Coordinates of all heavy atoms in Angstrom, one line a residue:
G646 N 7.0 -4.9 14.6 CA 7.3 -3.7 15.3 C 6.1 -3.0 15.8 O 6.2 -2.0 16.5
I647 N 4.9 -3.5 15.5 CA 3.7 -2.8 15.9 C 2.9 -3.6 17.0 O 2.4 -3.0 18.0 CB 2.8 -2.5 14.7 CG1 3.5 -1.5 13.8 CG2 1.4 -2.0 15.1 CD1 2.7 -1.2 12.6
A648 N 2.8 -4.9 16.8 CA 2.0 -5.7 17.7 C 2.4 -5.5 19.2 O 1.5 -5.3 20.0 CB 2.2 -7.2 17.3
P649 N 3.7 -5.4 19.6 CA 4.0 -5.2 21.0 C 3.5 -3.8 21.6 O 3.3 -3.7 22.8 CB 5.5 -5.2 21.1 CG 5.9 -6.0 19.8 CD 4.9 -5.6 18.8
E650 N 3.2 -2.8 20.7 CA 2.8 -1.5 21.1 C 1.3 -1.4 21.4 O 0.8 -0.5 22.0 CB 3.2 -0.5 20.1 CG 4.8 -0.3 20.0 CD 5.1 0.9 19.2 OE1 4.5 2.0 19.5 OE2 6.0 0.9 18.3
L651 N 0.6 -2.4 20.8 CA -0.9 -2.3 20.9 C -1.4 -2.8 22.3 O -0.9 -3.8 22.8 CB -1.5 -3.1 19.8 CG -1.3 -2.6 18.4 CD1 -2.0 -3.6 17.4 CD2 -1.8 -1.2 18.2
P652 N -2.3 -2.1 22.9 CA -2.9 -2.7 24.1 C -3.8 -3.9 23.8 O -4.2 -4.1 22.6 CB -3.8 -1.5 24.6 CG -4.1 -0.7 23.3 CD -2.9 -0.9 22.4
P653 N -4.0 -4.7 24.8 CA -4.8 -5.9 24.5 C -6.2 -5.7 24.1 O -6.9 -6.4 23.4 CB -4.7 -6.7 25.8 CG -4.4 -5.7 26.8 CD -3.5 -4.7 26.1
K654 N -6.8 -4.5 24.6 CA -8.1 -4.2 24.2 C -8.2 -2.7 24.0 O -7.8 -1.9 24.8 CB -9.1 -4.6 25.3 CG -10.6 -4.3 25.0 CD -11.5 -4.9 26.0 CE -11.4 -4.3 27.3 NZ -12.5 -4.8 28.2
T655 N -8.8 -2.3 22.8 CA -9.0 -0.9 22.5 C -10.5 -0.6 22.4 O -11.2 -1.3 21.6 CB -8.3 -0.5 21.2 OG1 -6.9 -0.8 21.3 CG2 -8.5 1.0 20.9
E656 N -11.0 0.4 23.1 CA -12.5 0.7 23.0 C -12.7 2.0 22.4 O -12.0 3.0 22.7 CB -13.0 0.7 24.5 CG -12.9 -0.6 25.2 CD -13.6 -0.6 26.6 OE1 -13.7 0.5 27.1 OE2 -13.9 -1.7 27.1
T657 N -13.5 2.1 21.4 CA -13.8 3.3 20.6 C -15.3 3.5 20.5 O -16.0 2.7 20.1 CB -13.2 3.2 19.2 OG1 -11.8 2.8 19.3 CG2 -13.3 4.5 18.4
D658 N -15.7 4.8 20.8 CA -17.0 5.2 20.6 C -17.1 5.9 19.2 O -16.3 6.8 18.9 CB -17.5 6.2 21.7 CG -17.7 5.6 23.0 OD1 -17.8 4.3 23.1 OD2 -17.8 6.3 24.0
H659 N -18.0 5.4 18.4 CA -18.2 5.9 17.1 C -19.5 6.8 17.0 O -20.6 6.2 16.9 CB -18.3 4.8 16.0 CG -17.0 4.0 15.9 ND1 -16.0 4.3 15.1 CD2 -16.7 2.8 16.6 CE1 -15.0 3.4 15.2 NE2 -15.4 2.5 16.1
P660 N -19.4 8.1 17.1 CA -20.6 8.9 16.9 C -21.1 8.9 15.5 O -20.3 8.9 14.6 CB -20.1 10.3 17.3 CG -18.6 10.3 17.1 CD -18.2 8.9 17.3
V661 N -22.4 8.8 15.4 CA -23.0 8.8 14.0 C -24.2 9.7 14.0 O -24.9 9.9 14.9 CB -23.4 7.3 13.7 CG1 -24.4 6.8 14.7 CG2 -23.9 7.2 12.3
T662 N -24.4 10.3 12.8 CA -25.4 11.3 12.6 C -26.7 10.6 12.2 O -26.7 9.7 11.4 CB -25.1 12.3 11.6 OG1 -23.8 12.9 11.9 CG2 -26.1 13.4 11.4
L663 N -27.8 11.1 12.8 CA -29.1 10.5 12.3 C -29.4 11.0 10.9 O -29.0 12.1 10.5 CB -30.3 11.1 13.3 CG -30.2 10.6 14.7 CD1 -31.4 11.3 15.5 CD2 -30.4 9.1 14.9
T664 N -30.2 10.1 10.2 CA -30.6 10.6 8.9 C -31.8 11.5 9.1 O -32.3 11.7 10.2 CB -31.1 9.4 8.1 OG1 -32.2 8.7 8.7 CG2 -30.0 8.3 7.9
R665 N -32.2 12.2 8.0 CA -33.3 13.1 8.1 C -34.6 12.4 8.6 O -35.3 13.0 9.4 CB -33.6 13.7 6.7 CG -34.6 14.8 6.7 CD -34.7 15.5 5.3 NE -33.4 16.1 5.0 CZ -33.2 16.7 3.8 NH1 -34.1 16.7 2.9 NH2 -32.0 17.1 3.5
E666 N -34.8 11.2 8.1 CA -36.0 10.4 8.6 C -35.9 10.1 10.0 O -36.9 10.3 10.8 CB -36.2 9.1 7.8 CG -37.4 8.3 8.2 CD -37.4 7.0 7.5 OE1 -36.5 6.6 6.8 OE2 -38.5 6.3 7.7
Q667 N -34.7 9.7 10.5 CA -34.6 9.4 11.9 C -34.8 10.7 12.8 O -35.4 10.6 13.8 CB -33.2 8.8 12.2 CG -33.0 7.4 11.7 CD -31.5 6.9 11.9 OE1 -30.6 7.5 11.3 NE2 -31.4 5.9 12.8
T668 N -34.3 11.8 12.3 CA -34.4 13.0 13.0 C -35.9 13.4 13.2 O -36.4 13.8 14.3 CB -33.7 14.2 12.3 OG1 -32.3 13.8 12.3 CG2 -33.8 15.5 13.1
S669 N -36.7 13.3 12.1 CA -38.1 13.6 12.1 C -38.8 12.7 13.1 O -39.7 13.2 13.9 CB -38.7 13.5 10.7 OG -38.0 14.5 9.9
L670 N -38.6 11.4 13.0 CA -39.2 10.5 13.9 C -38.9 10.7 15.3 O -39.8 10.7 16.2 CB -38.8 9.0 13.5 CG -39.5 8.4 12.3 CD1 -38.8 7.1 11.9 CD2 -41.0 8.2 12.5
Y671 N -37.6 10.9 15.6 CA -37.1 11.2 17.0 C -37.8 12.4 17.6 O -38.4 12.3 18.7 CB -35.6 11.4 17.0 CG -35.0 11.4 18.3 CD1 -34.3 10.2 18.8 CD2 -35.0 12.5 19.1 CE1 -33.7 10.2 20.1 CE2 -34.4 12.5 20.4 CZ -33.7 11.3 20.8 OH -33.2 11.3 22.1
E672 N -37.8 13.5 16.9 CA -38.4 14.7 17.4 C -39.9 14.6 17.6 O -40.5 15.1 18.6 CB -38.1 15.9 16.5 CG -36.6 16.3 16.6 CD -36.3 17.4 15.7 OE1 -36.9 17.6 14.6 OE2 -35.4 18.3 16.0
A673 N -40.6 13.9 16.7 CA -42.0 13.7 16.8 C -42.4 12.9 18.0 O -43.3 13.2 18.8 CB -42.6 13.1 15.5
V674 N -41.6 11.8 18.3 CA -41.9 10.9 19.4 C -41.6 11.6 20.7 O -42.4 11.5 21.7 CB -41.1 9.6 19.3 CG1 -41.1 8.8 20.6 CG2 -41.6 8.7 18.1
V675 N -40.5 12.4 20.8 CA -40.2 13.1 22.0 C -41.3 14.1 22.3 O -41.8 14.2 23.4 CB -38.9 13.8 21.8 CG1 -38.7 14.9 23.0 CG2 -37.7 12.8 21.9
R676 N -41.7 14.9 21.3 CA -42.7 15.9 21.5 C -44.1 15.3 22.0 O -44.7 15.8 22.9 CB -42.9 16.7 20.2 CG -43.9 17.8 20.2 CD -43.9 18.7 19.0 NE -44.2 17.8 17.8 CZ -43.3 17.5 16.9 NH1 -42.0 17.9 17.0 NH2 -43.6 16.8 15.8
E677 N -44.5 14.3 21.3 CA -45.8 13.7 21.6 C -45.8 13.0 23.0 O -46.7 13.1 23.8 CB -46.2 12.7 20.5 CG -46.5 13.4 19.2 CD -46.7 12.4 18.0 OE1 -46.7 11.2 18.3 OE2 -46.8 12.8 16.9
T678 N -44.7 12.2 23.2 CA -44.7 11.4 24.4 C -44.5 12.2 25.7 O -45.0 12.0 26.8 CB -43.6 10.3 24.3 OG1 -43.8 9.6 23.1 CG2 -43.8 9.3 25.5
L679 N -43.6 13.3 25.6 CA -43.4 14.1 26.7 C -44.7 14.8 27.2 O -44.9 15.0 28.4 CB -42.3 15.2 26.4 CG -40.9 14.7 26.5 CD1 -39.9 15.9 26.2 CD2 -40.5 14.1 27.8
A680 N -45.5 15.2 26.2 CA -46.8 15.8 26.5 C -47.7 14.9 27.3 O -48.3 15.3 28.3 CB -47.5 16.3 25.3
R681 N -47.7 13.6 26.9 CA -48.5 12.6 27.6 C -47.9 12.3 29.0 O -48.6 12.1 30.0 CB -48.6 11.3 26.8 CG -49.3 11.5 25.5 CD -49.2 10.2 24.7 NE -49.9 9.1 25.4 CZ -49.8 7.9 25.0 NH1 -49.0 7.6 23.9 NH2 -50.4 6.9 25.7
I682 N -46.6 12.3 29.1 CA -45.9 12.0 30.4 C -46.2 13.1 31.4 O -46.5 12.9 32.6 CB -44.4 11.9 30.2 CG1 -44.1 10.6 29.5 CG2 -43.6 12.0 31.6 CD1 -42.6 10.4 29.1
E683 N -46.2 14.4 31.0 CA -46.5 15.5 31.9 C -47.9 15.4 32.4 O -48.2 15.9 33.5 CB -46.3 16.8 31.1 CG -44.9 17.1 30.8 CD -44.7 18.4 29.9 OE1 -45.8 19.0 29.6 OE2 -43.6 18.8 29.5
A684 N -48.8 14.8 31.7 CA -50.2 14.6 32.2 C -50.4 13.3 32.9 O -51.6 13.0 33.3 CB -51.1 14.8 31.0
S685 N -49.4 12.6 33.2 CA -49.6 11.2 33.8 C -48.8 11.2 35.1 O -48.0 12.0 35.4 CB -49.0 10.1 32.9 OG -49.6 10.2 31.6
K686 N -49.2 10.2 35.9 CA -48.6 10.0 37.3 C -48.4 8.5 37.5 O -49.0 7.7 36.9 CB -49.4 10.6 38.3 CG -49.5 12.2 38.3 CD -50.4 12.7 39.4 CE -50.4 14.2 39.4 NZ -51.2 14.8 40.5
G687 N -47.5 8.3 38.5 CA -47.4 6.9 39.1 C -47.0 5.9 38.0 O -46.1 6.1 37.2
I688 N -47.6 4.8 38.1 CA -47.2 3.6 37.3 C -47.4 3.9 35.8 O -46.7 3.5 34.9 CB -48.0 2.4 37.7 CG1 -47.1 1.1 37.5 CG2 -49.3 2.2 37.0 CD1 -47.7 -0.1 38.2
A689 N -48.5 4.7 35.5 CA -48.7 5.0 34.1 C -47.6 5.9 33.5 O -47.2 5.7 32.4 CB -50.1 5.8 34.0
R690 N -47.1 6.8 34.4 CA -46.0 7.7 33.9 C -44.8 6.9 33.7 O -44.1 7.1 32.7 CB -45.7 8.8 35.0 CG -44.6 9.8 34.5 CD -44.4 10.8 35.7 NE -43.4 11.8 35.3 CZ -42.1 11.6 35.3 NH1 -41.6 10.4 35.7 NH2 -41.3 12.5 34.9

Side-chain angles (χ1 to χ4, degrees):
I647 292 178
E650 295 192 46
L651 294 178
K654 181 170 68 172
T655 304
E656 299 182 338
T657 306
D658 288 345
H659 296 272
V661 60
T662 305
L663 296 176
T664 63
R665 185 174 302 177
E666 180 186 7
Q667 285 177 297
T668 299
S669 298
L670 283 172
Y671 190 98
E672 290 181 326
V674 169
V675 167
R676 184 173 55 252
E677 295 171 4
T678 310
L679 281 181
R681 296 175 59 192
I682 288 173
E683 290 175 0
S685 303
K686 292 182 179 180
I688 209 167
R690 182 183 183 279

